[in-house]
Amino acid sequence: MSPNFNNPSVRVVRIFELATPIGNLLSHEDRLCCVKVSKDWNQAFIPSLYYSLNDRKGAWPRILKAHDDPETNNGQDRAWILDLFKKYGYHIRHLDTQWQVIVDAAYLGQTCKQLRSLTADNFVSSYTTKEMAEYEQIEEEGELTYQDRIVPAETGDFLSLEFVGDVFRPVVAGWRTLEQQEGGWYTSQHFWLLVRENPGLTSLMLGWNLRELFDISPEYVYTALAALPQLTFLDNRLDSVELDRVLESCPRLQTYRSYSTSGFRCFVGHEWPSLQTLSLDWSIDDQELIRLLKSLTGLLHLRLGAISYESDDCTNVGQLLGNRCSGLKTLCLLNPSHYGYEWLGKMVLPWLPGLLEYSGSELSPHVARGLALHCKRFQAYLQTSVQASTHEPYGPHPIQNSFRHLMETCFDLRELDGVRHRIDMEDFERNEWVCSDLEKIRCQFVGFSRLTASDEAALEESVAGERVDEELKERQRASWQQHQAVYNRLSVFTRLRVLDLGYEFRELSLIGISRSDREYAYRDSNLAQPVANTMELSLASGLGRLEGLKDLEVFGFEGVDHRIGKPELEWMAVHWPKLKVMRGLQEDDVPGEKYRAEKTVLREYMQMLRPDVKHEAGPRSSSRL
């Protein structure tokens, strides 16, 4: 039914100045519906419909996979895509693409010149159905091996005088057809010409797949970046680019991410105050870290693949920094060496007094003590992805009692997200915690004096027969005391949103064994069993003391000998009204698990009580940077 344009509310919607802010609040599907209502609505909502274009979403994947096949593209071929950009390219502000044809159309359409962000990645894996068939045919012919095809790719003409010379270097032909090789040559030029025609870019991502089309000279990259005076965000996966040259080219750059980079040794005597976030998924040594901290005076967030301590010249960090503290707020080190941990904790952290968040594969005691001693406002430790099983027989021993250094000292602590880390009951009972405002805790409580199921049955029989087994009774009393102590301490954290006491050993892919994970696991009964001497989560053990955790959203107990039954689930359903996720009753792929049937019954019962609660495994990574 056509809208009544005499209606005041309809006339308001026809006001163009109101359509844009309204359109920005709608989903892409809703905008698409709006442009089909009438000519006025089409004109009003077209700008918001094309404000952002991501060829991974909507109908684009289907269109692009078939665009080069006349029998299946339904007229949505390369010419149709080009015409679309000619008509609507001037509306696009954010372009995210992984298809060469989109880059070609964005440049050749000559209207896409007001971009604010441009992301280009994953071109090599974006095959159409026709191209995939050609790829498989070349591979199956067998006349030439891949080694035979490691020859320079075919090239074509230069589209601009600025590309003449050693700007583009052909990479190997590989399994690409001649047409695909030549297409890569022109797409590479189209991409950089598109960059040059959008000087208003504030965000640019150069995916590593760009170099699979054609390698490009670092000098040209610096020249192209220098032509983007508004650029504040750069994600650069191209090789052989020096960090200091990038900063010279982009004086307003605030965020820089790169897989690898160089140029640290050129930092001497230079300062770049604008850069606030630096992410390098690569290893640097101690001297390079000092140069970064000294030269990047405005740096707030730093992520490094690894750090190694290699020189005794870096023991006096204060002198090397000119006795000036860094303003760093977050630090992520994916895999430091042992000596790197010690050097960081003892020598570097005293000069990072404002550090609020630290991420790493583990929290070493050296780092934990350094954070507690020198970073008085510290708020969060986040464990990055687990590289090995947390189940002891299949990986390194989980870190023991590192958390206590933070929990005893850091009043502002909010998050302890480290499922590999253990809090031993003997150590727990000797120390007090000062962090009453915790919102998230993921760790392992171990060392409980638990009775086995057979011991509990024997104790019940002795009580019923009035012949009390005093030894078992004393062990049970000691276990209840330990549980009460933990529950009492956890009950203080009334702001908790995440309480995860589980393990990640059930992720079979984390077990580094040579034979089939499944075959091996079937032979190993330990893998399918709950971990011994972990915390019991029954009402009898004191679970009811956690009724004050009204904000709890996530509760985890994977691999824990928890003894949770239907009464406990009924209690949780009532006393934790904001609960959204449970980790421990989900369907998993652990072969031969003894409690699979019991878990199914409990999961279905919880789904009946609280259908809004999801059941899933814990995350593999928690780093935010």
Side-chain angles (χ1 to χ4, degrees), residues 460-479:
E460 290 178 3
E461 290 179 3
S462 68
V463 171
E466 297 183 356
R467 291 183 299 100
V468 179
D469 189 323
E470 294 296 335
E471 181 184 355
L472 290 179
K473 186 176 181 180
E474 177 59 26
R475 286 172 55 193
Q476 186 184 60
R477 185 190 64 80
S479 177

Side-chain angles (χ1 to χ4, degrees), residues 326-464:
S326 169
L328 204 65
K329 301 297 182 185
T330 66
L331 174 62
C332 178
L333 298 177
L334 299 181
N335 189 29
S337 66
H338 172 73
Y339 291 109
Y341 277 132
E342 185 173 0
W343 175 70
L344 176 68
K346 292 182 177 179
M347 305 294 180
V348 179
L349 289 181
W351 298 94
L352 307 179
L355 197 68
L356 301 178
E357 182 180 299
Y358 174 76
S359 303
S361 56
E362 63 183 53
L363 179 65
S364 83
H366 294 295
V367 174
R369 283 192 288 266
L371 292 170
L373 183 61
H374 304 293
C375 307
K376 298 302 182 183
R377 297 172 53 207
F378 188 74
Q379 295 181 3
Y381 166 72
L382 303 177
Q383 176 183 299
T384 53
S385 58
V386 178
Q387 300 300 321
S389 172
T390 58
H391 198 33
E392 287 191 24
Y394 306 104
H397 291 292
I399 305 302
Q400 195 93 346
N401 299 324
S402 293
F403 279 177
R404 72 174 178 87
H405 300 292
L406 304 179
M407 304 182 89
E408 292 173 346
T409 308
C410 301
F411 287 89
D412 294 332
L413 200 60
R414 297 292 185 271
E415 297 184 46
L416 285 172
D417 190 347
V419 73
R420 290 195 71 243
H421 297 72
R422 292 185 164 192
I423 297 177
D424 182 78
M425 286 310 302
E426 182 178 349
D427 186 82
F428 170 87
E429 294 173 335
R430 290 199 302 260
N431 301 283
E432 295 295 328
W433 296 351
V434 300
C435 50
S436 59
D437 292 332
L438 268 179
E439 299 175 4
K440 182 177 187 178
I441 181 168
R442 295 182 70 215
C443 67
Q444 307 174 15
F445 283 90
V446 298
F448 288 90
S449 180
R450 294 280 300 274
L451 296 183
T452 63
S454 59
D455 286 339
E456 289 180 350
L459 182 58
E460 290 178 3
E461 290 179 3
S462 68
V463 171

Side-chain angles (χ1 to χ4, degrees), residues 275-343:
L275 195 68
Q276 298 179 7
T277 300
L278 176 63
S279 180
L280 306 175
D281 291 340
W282 199 252
S283 176
I284 68 173
D285 61 35
D286 44 7
Q287 296 184 55
E288 291 170 334
L289 177 61
I290 296 299
R291 292 190 181 95
L292 285 175
L293 295 177
K294 184 175 182 179
S295 299
L296 305 180
T297 55
L299 195 64
L300 300 177
H301 312 286
L302 176 62
R303 174 190 173 99
L304 299 171
I307 182 173
S308 59
Y309 177 66
E310 299 181 357
S311 173
D312 291 336
D313 296 335
C314 289
T315 55
N316 194 341
V317 173
Q319 182 177 350
L320 295 174
L321 291 177
N323 293 317
R324 183 176 61 186
C325 290
S326 169
L328 204 65
K329 301 297 182 185
T330 66
L331 174 62
C332 178
L333 298 177
L334 299 181
N335 189 29
S337 66
H338 172 73
Y339 291 109
Y341 277 132
E342 185 173 0
W343 175 70

Side-chain angles (χ1 to χ4, degrees), residues 96-134:
D96 188 338
T97 177
Q98 64 177 13
W99 287 84
Q100 292 180 227
V101 64
I102 295 294
V103 174
D104 296 338
Y107 170 70
L108 295 173
Q110 286 298 294
T111 60
C112 197
K113 298 183 178 182
Q114 299 184 61
L115 293 179
R116 294 294 177 265
S117 70
L118 175 59
T119 297
D121 193 19
N122 210 28
F123 289 123
V124 175
S125 61
S126 299
Y127 286 101
T128 65
T129 303
K130 178 173 176 288
E131 287 173 335
M132 182 57 68
E134 294 171 344

Side-chain angles (χ1 to χ4, degrees), residues 36 57 83 103 118 121 149 157 186 197 229 245 249 281 365 368 405 438 472 512 521-523 531 539 560 616:
K36 298 177 181 178
K57 298 181 178 180
D83 186 59
V103 174
L118 175 59
D121 193 19
R149 298 179 67 88
D157 298 328
Y186 289 110
E197 290 190 348
R245 294 290 303 277
S249 302
D281 291 340
H405 300 292
L438 268 179
L472 290 179
Y522 268 121
R523 299 178 183 178
V531 180
L539 291 171
V560 175
E616 59 188 31

